[in-house]
Amino acid sequence: MDINRVSNEKKLNLCTWYFRAGFAFLPFVWVINVIWFFDSAVRKPPFEEQNAIRKYVILSAIGSFIWIIIIATWVSLFQANRIAWGSWADDLSFIIPLGSK
Amino acid sequence: MDGHVSESSTAREKPGETEERLRKKTKQPRERNYGATEPALVTTSQPEAPQPPRRERNNTESIDEEEEKEILKYGAKHVIKLFVPVTLCMLVVVMTINSVSFYTVKDVYLIYTPFHETSSDTSDKIWNAIGNSMILLVVIIVMTFLLIFLYKKRCYNIIHGWLILSSSMLLFLFSYLYMEEVLRAYNIPMDYPTALFIMWNFGVVGMMAIHWKAPLRLQQAYLIFVSALMALVFVKYLPEFTTWMILAVISIWDLVAVLSPKGPLRILVETAQERNEQIFPALIYSSTILYSMGMATDENPRRSVDNVDESAGFSNDWSNQSRQRTQQRQIEVQANDQNRPTQYRTVTRSSDGLTDAQRQQQQIEEEERGIKLGLGDFIFYSVLVGKASSYGDWNTTIACFVAILIGLCLTLLLLAVTRKALPALPISITFGLFFCFTTSIIVKPFTETLAAEQHYQDVQQLTSFSNDWSNQSRQRTQQRQIEVQANDQNRPTQYRTVTRSSDGLTDAQRQQQQIEEEERGIKLGLGDFIFYSVLVGKASSYGDWNTTIACFVAILIGLCLTLLLLAVTRKALPALPISITFGLFFCFTTSIIVKPFTETLAAEQVFI
């Protein structure tokens, strides 16, 4: 749907729902929220709901950033120490790579 | 499951509506800027007026010409808008099949294909294939009629609930398996928490994009991915001959179901028309945004994607899938109906003497519909190309790809002419199958022989290249002159427009000029085409695909840069230098550096 053709109330509604949805361990939804509503929040001339949308976009951006840090930390730790951690890391592994000859 | 192509552009309007559409033409600058046909010279000179006044009808002739141009213009743009997603879908399937061996390994089959083509006798295999196809066709027919029954009884909740169930299965389960196989193929370690987290995010956002509201590109991307997944499942779980047979059978069924008066999809179309309903805007790939302003109240963008069983035990999934497939078709048909009721309504409304604003609104609805193509079409196109690529021969794969695009083009052309719902599968699949088999039977041994014999001719060809080049220089200069003249045609217009707009013309006349400007498009001299093709053809005559594709890419990059320069400098530019320079450079570096490198790599792999 074209976000520019939707009324401002609907935009605010969508933004709000996307923001709330992101709390269910869904940083991807927050990222989409930021990207999709960035124009409306920042670049468009001021309209009534812009402050609320801006608030949600900023909060979503902060949330996604936090999640990115968490995920990056965990992935790098795991990949680096997977072998050193022994058997419980193997239990945690979805794919264990095959060795090379 | 095939789908039909639904035409939703304004080119399909009845003649009476064209006037209004023309008046509204200047209103949607964004709509016009879709696609690749915008003139590079004049895009910056258009104002983005949101409320254009009505343009006076100066004379019938110019209106007719513009109508014609409009029809063609929308047709070409929409063809391109469909080419891109179809190509992307096929690309995903081909890349996966070539890199992940899981999808070419035949271990388990579905319960709907009980004949596994295990005997070595060809006629037995063909009988198996026919048997399997008939079973699948019967399942599909049953499911189609079931869906029509449900639709006629207005059991929308059942349909929607089932669509949500199937699409969630596809988005979660089959994407999970896909991810697992891809990671395994590339030997990348992954832990459960991360994997589940990724799948959770991917799946939920997919559900939101498909069934609720999300950015259009995201929705399109998910639809493409989901179609590619389905196609991969088909390629994996159907035995060899059955796949080909199923493609042919489905195309024929599509033809029958959509066009014959008793066909289920036709019945669905008519029912939806009677009810003036907009149902299942999902399950269709839509190239533009759908608006439901003033349209049917039912706004249920549900999408169902086919699930295919992974093992023989999931018979429910398969039936769900077939139901989905039929639903897909029906959804396409219904999407068509969305367009046609709109047309009818517009016709009646315009005779009601509505206000301008309301008529404008209707036309916004109509114009922004774009082309719709059913997901079943994506799936079966990708199955065809995927199957062709699983044999390992790039000639066949690319031949199939080109054939499908040509078929799609022809279908859209037919759509523009006949203006009713059309099945999108038959023409493309016929061309695709034909090209596929003729290429593998005729072209492949031919190119292999040529490649084997070329080892001794390389050096001679390189030296003769320069002689041909000097012979062609006179032609080149002539063609360049033609280009410059063609570009000059553009420049006078530009100048004329600049002076006219400062004359204080009426809005009507200015709009007319803008329409003239818009429709100029980009001009490229035929000499450019000829010499680009000479370059690529020469590169391909060495038999090395790397060089050919490198040249092709280089030429496109050069063309891109040239057009960029054109947009900046706004005067006639030679189109050859940049592209040919890049092309020659890439061609020779590839053949001198990359080719021995890949050959060594390939040779060493034999002993691993």
PDB file of all heavy atoms in Angstrom, chain B residues 552-570:
ATOM      1  N   PHE B 552      28.105  -8.600 -21.939  1.00  0.00           N
ATOM      2  CA  PHE B 552      26.712  -8.152 -21.832  1.00  0.00           C
ATOM      3  C   PHE B 552      26.547  -7.189 -20.665  1.00  0.00           C
ATOM      4  O   PHE B 552      25.997  -6.099 -20.804  1.00  0.00           O
ATOM      5  CB  PHE B 552      25.847  -9.404 -21.669  1.00  0.00           C
ATOM      6  CG  PHE B 552      24.429  -9.139 -21.313  1.00  0.00           C
ATOM      7  CD1 PHE B 552      23.578  -8.515 -22.203  1.00  0.00           C
ATOM      8  CD2 PHE B 552      23.924  -9.511 -20.078  1.00  0.00           C
ATOM      9  CE1 PHE B 552      22.269  -8.275 -21.869  1.00  0.00           C
ATOM     10  CE2 PHE B 552      22.626  -9.280 -19.745  1.00  0.00           C
ATOM     11  CZ  PHE B 552      21.795  -8.661 -20.641  1.00  0.00           C
ATOM     12  N   VAL B 553      27.076  -7.594 -19.517  1.00  0.00           N
ATOM     13  CA  VAL B 553      26.951  -6.744 -18.330  1.00  0.00           C
ATOM     14  C   VAL B 553      27.679  -5.428 -18.542  1.00  0.00           C
ATOM     15  O   VAL B 553      27.189  -4.359 -18.196  1.00  0.00           O
ATOM     16  CB  VAL B 553      27.498  -7.481 -17.097  1.00  0.00           C
ATOM     17  CG1 VAL B 553      27.580  -6.547 -15.921  1.00  0.00           C
ATOM     18  CG2 VAL B 553      26.614  -8.652 -16.759  1.00  0.00           C
ATOM     19  N   ALA B 554      28.859  -5.512 -19.165  1.00  0.00           N
ATOM     20  CA  ALA B 554      29.626  -4.294 -19.393  1.00  0.00           C
ATOM     21  C   ALA B 554      28.873  -3.334 -20.295  1.00  0.00           C
ATOM     22  O   ALA B 554      28.849  -2.123 -20.047  1.00  0.00           O
ATOM     23  CB  ALA B 554      30.968  -4.660 -20.025  1.00  0.00           C
ATOM     24  N   ILE B 555      28.237  -3.863 -21.310  1.00  0.00           N
ATOM     25  CA  ILE B 555      27.491  -2.998 -22.222  1.00  0.00           C
ATOM     26  C   ILE B 555      26.326  -2.339 -21.494  1.00  0.00           C
ATOM     27  O   ILE B 555      26.077  -1.140 -21.655  1.00  0.00           O
ATOM     28  CB  ILE B 555      27.008  -3.792 -23.441  1.00  0.00           C
ATOM     29  CG1 ILE B 555      28.193  -4.085 -24.353  1.00  0.00           C
ATOM     30  CG2 ILE B 555      25.940  -3.028 -24.200  1.00  0.00           C
ATOM     31  CD1 ILE B 555      27.846  -4.934 -25.523  1.00  0.00           C
ATOM     32  N   LEU B 556      25.647  -3.115 -20.672  1.00  0.00           N
ATOM     33  CA  LEU B 556      24.522  -2.528 -19.941  1.00  0.00           C
ATOM     34  C   LEU B 556      24.997  -1.451 -18.978  1.00  0.00           C
ATOM     35  O   LEU B 556      24.379  -0.395 -18.839  1.00  0.00           O
ATOM     36  CB  LEU B 556      23.751  -3.598 -19.184  1.00  0.00           C
ATOM     37  CG  LEU B 556      22.919  -4.536 -20.038  1.00  0.00           C
ATOM     38  CD1 LEU B 556      22.070  -5.429 -19.161  1.00  0.00           C
ATOM     39  CD2 LEU B 556      22.025  -3.761 -20.980  1.00  0.00           C
ATOM     40  N   ILE B 557      26.115  -1.700 -18.328  1.00  0.00           N
ATOM     41  CA  ILE B 557      26.644  -0.690 -17.416  1.00  0.00           C
ATOM     42  C   ILE B 557      26.991   0.578 -18.194  1.00  0.00           C
ATOM     43  O   ILE B 557      26.678   1.698 -17.790  1.00  0.00           O
ATOM     44  CB  ILE B 557      27.890  -1.232 -16.679  1.00  0.00           C
ATOM     45  CG1 ILE B 557      27.481  -2.342 -15.714  1.00  0.00           C
ATOM     46  CG2 ILE B 557      28.593  -0.123 -15.918  1.00  0.00           C
ATOM     47  CD1 ILE B 557      28.643  -3.014 -15.059  1.00  0.00           C
ATOM     48  N   GLY B 558      27.646   0.383 -19.342  1.00  0.00           N
ATOM     49  CA  GLY B 558      27.996   1.529 -20.163  1.00  0.00           C
ATOM     50  C   GLY B 558      26.768   2.303 -20.613  1.00  0.00           C
ATOM     51  O   GLY B 558      26.746   3.535 -20.607  1.00  0.00           O
ATOM     52  N   LEU B 559      25.739   1.555 -20.987  1.00  0.00           N
ATOM     53  CA  LEU B 559      24.499   2.212 -21.422  1.00  0.00           C
ATOM     54  C   LEU B 559      23.891   3.009 -20.286  1.00  0.00           C
ATOM     55  O   LEU B 559      23.417   4.133 -20.460  1.00  0.00           O
ATOM     56  CB  LEU B 559      23.526   1.147 -21.919  1.00  0.00           C
ATOM     57  CG  LEU B 559      22.278   1.635 -22.625  1.00  0.00           C
ATOM     58  CD1 LEU B 559      22.655   2.424 -23.839  1.00  0.00           C
ATOM     59  CD2 LEU B 559      21.417   0.454 -23.016  1.00  0.00           C
ATOM     60  N   CYS B 560      23.926   2.416 -19.109  1.00  0.00           N
ATOM     61  CA  CYS B 560      23.420   3.099 -17.927  1.00  0.00           C
ATOM     62  C   CYS B 560      24.154   4.409 -17.687  1.00  0.00           C
ATOM     63  O   CYS B 560      23.551   5.459 -17.468  1.00  0.00           O
ATOM     64  CB  CYS B 560      23.630   2.188 -16.722  1.00  0.00           C
ATOM     65  SG  CYS B 560      22.135   1.862 -15.825  1.00  0.00           S
ATOM     66  N   LEU B 561      25.464   4.339 -17.757  1.00  0.00           N
ATOM     67  CA  LEU B 561      26.251   5.549 -17.530  1.00  0.00           C
ATOM     68  C   LEU B 561      25.956   6.591 -18.600  1.00  0.00           C
ATOM     69  O   LEU B 561      25.868   7.789 -18.313  1.00  0.00           O
ATOM     70  CB  LEU B 561      27.745   5.213 -17.529  1.00  0.00           C
ATOM     71  CG  LEU B 561      28.249   4.467 -16.304  1.00  0.00           C
ATOM     72  CD1 LEU B 561      29.701   4.088 -16.486  1.00  0.00           C
ATOM     73  CD2 LEU B 561      28.096   5.352 -15.081  1.00  0.00           C
ATOM     74  N   THR B 562      25.806   6.117 -19.828  1.00  0.00           N
ATOM     75  CA  THR B 562      25.507   7.053 -20.904  1.00  0.00           C
ATOM     76  C   THR B 562      24.186   7.766 -20.653  1.00  0.00           C
ATOM     77  O   THR B 562      24.074   8.978 -20.829  1.00  0.00           O
ATOM     78  CB  THR B 562      25.453   6.312 -22.250  1.00  0.00           C
ATOM     79  OG1 THR B 562      26.594   5.474 -22.378  1.00  0.00           O
ATOM     80  CG2 THR B 562      25.383   7.284 -23.400  1.00  0.00           C
ATOM     81  N   LEU B 563      23.194   7.000 -20.241  1.00  0.00           N
ATOM     82  CA  LEU B 563      21.890   7.616 -19.974  1.00  0.00           C
ATOM     83  C   LEU B 563      21.973   8.592 -18.807  1.00  0.00           C
ATOM     84  O   LEU B 563      21.324   9.633 -18.786  1.00  0.00           O
ATOM     85  CB  LEU B 563      20.847   6.540 -19.691  1.00  0.00           C
ATOM     86  CG  LEU B 563      20.480   5.700 -20.912  1.00  0.00           C
ATOM     87  CD1 LEU B 563      19.569   4.556 -20.514  1.00  0.00           C
ATOM     88  CD2 LEU B 563      19.793   6.557 -21.940  1.00  0.00           C
ATOM     89  N   LEU B 564      22.805   8.248 -17.844  1.00  0.00           N
ATOM     90  CA  LEU B 564      22.990   9.151 -16.708  1.00  0.00           C
ATOM     91  C   LEU B 564      23.584  10.466 -17.171  1.00  0.00           C
ATOM     92  O   LEU B 564      23.125  11.551 -16.810  1.00  0.00           O
ATOM     93  CB  LEU B 564      23.938   8.477 -15.705  1.00  0.00           C
ATOM     94  CG  LEU B 564      23.707   8.828 -14.247  1.00  0.00           C
ATOM     95  CD1 LEU B 564      22.486   8.092 -13.774  1.00  0.00           C
ATOM     96  CD2 LEU B 564      24.916   8.438 -13.433  1.00  0.00           C
ATOM     97  N   LEU B 565      24.627  10.327 -17.993  1.00  0.00           N
ATOM     98  CA  LEU B 565      25.240  11.528 -18.552  1.00  0.00           C
ATOM     99  C   LEU B 565      24.234  12.327 -19.358  1.00  0.00           C
ATOM    100  O   LEU B 565      24.216  13.564 -19.323  1.00  0.00           O
ATOM    101  CB  LEU B 565      26.399  11.129 -19.470  1.00  0.00           C
ATOM    102  CG  LEU B 565      27.783  11.042 -18.822  1.00  0.00           C
ATOM    103  CD1 LEU B 565      28.786  10.613 -19.865  1.00  0.00           C
ATOM    104  CD2 LEU B 565      28.165  12.388 -18.249  1.00  0.00           C
ATOM    105  N   LEU B 566      23.392  11.616 -20.077  1.00  0.00           N
ATOM    106  CA  LEU B 566      22.355  12.276 -20.873  1.00  0.00           C
ATOM    107  C   LEU B 566      21.422  13.079 -19.990  1.00  0.00           C
ATOM    108  O   LEU B 566      21.048  14.211 -20.299  1.00  0.00           O
ATOM    109  CB  LEU B 566      21.575  11.204 -21.643  1.00  0.00           C
ATOM    110  CG  LEU B 566      20.587  11.696 -22.685  1.00  0.00           C
ATOM    111  CD1 LEU B 566      21.340  12.234 -23.863  1.00  0.00           C
ATOM    112  CD2 LEU B 566      19.700  10.558 -23.118  1.00  0.00           C
ATOM    113  N   ALA B 567      21.061  12.488 -18.872  1.00  0.00           N
ATOM    114  CA  ALA B 567      20.150  13.186 -17.967  1.00  0.00           C
ATOM    115  C   ALA B 567      20.814  14.423 -17.381  1.00  0.00           C
ATOM    116  O   ALA B 567      20.159  15.425 -17.103  1.00  0.00           O
ATOM    117  CB  ALA B 567      19.709  12.249 -16.848  1.00  0.00           C
ATOM    118  N   VAL B 568      22.125  14.363 -17.237  1.00  0.00           N
ATOM    119  CA  VAL B 568      22.817  15.493 -16.625  1.00  0.00           C
ATOM    120  C   VAL B 568      23.095  16.598 -17.637  1.00  0.00           C
ATOM    121  O   VAL B 568      22.798  17.764 -17.406  1.00  0.00           O
ATOM    122  CB  VAL B 568      24.140  14.996 -15.988  1.00  0.00           C
ATOM    123  CG1 VAL B 568      25.009  16.163 -15.615  1.00  0.00           C
ATOM    124  CG2 VAL B 568      23.841  14.147 -14.768  1.00  0.00           C
ATOM    125  N   THR B 569      23.672  16.189 -18.782  1.00  0.00           N
ATOM    126  CA  THR B 569      24.107  17.207 -19.736  1.00  0.00           C
ATOM    127  C   THR B 569      22.988  17.686 -20.646  1.00  0.00           C
ATOM    128  O   THR B 569      23.033  18.800 -21.141  1.00  0.00           O
ATOM    129  CB  THR B 569      25.226  16.672 -20.638  1.00  0.00           C
ATOM    130  OG1 THR B 569      24.717  15.536 -21.340  1.00  0.00           O
ATOM    131  CG2 THR B 569      26.431  16.255 -19.831  1.00  0.00           C
ATOM    132  N   ARG B 570      21.994  16.839 -20.892  1.00  0.00           N
ATOM    133  CA  ARG B 570      20.819  17.230 -21.686  1.00  0.00           C
ATOM    134  C   ARG B 570      21.165  17.634 -23.113  1.00  0.00           C
ATOM    135  O   ARG B 570      20.638  18.593 -23.643  1.00  0.00           O
ATOM    136  CB  ARG B 570      20.075  18.385 -21.027  1.00  0.00           C
ATOM    137  CG  ARG B 570      19.507  17.983 -19.710  1.00  0.00           C
ATOM    138  CD  ARG B 570      18.613  19.069 -19.197  1.00  0.00           C
ATOM    139  NE  ARG B 570      18.154  18.727 -17.874  1.00  0.00           N
ATOM    140  CZ  ARG B 570      17.014  19.145 -17.378  1.00  0.00           C
ATOM    141  NH1 ARG B 570      16.235  19.879 -18.110  1.00  0.00           N
ATOM    142  NH2 ARG B 570      16.664  18.805 -16.165  1.00  0.00           N
TER     143      ARG B 570
END
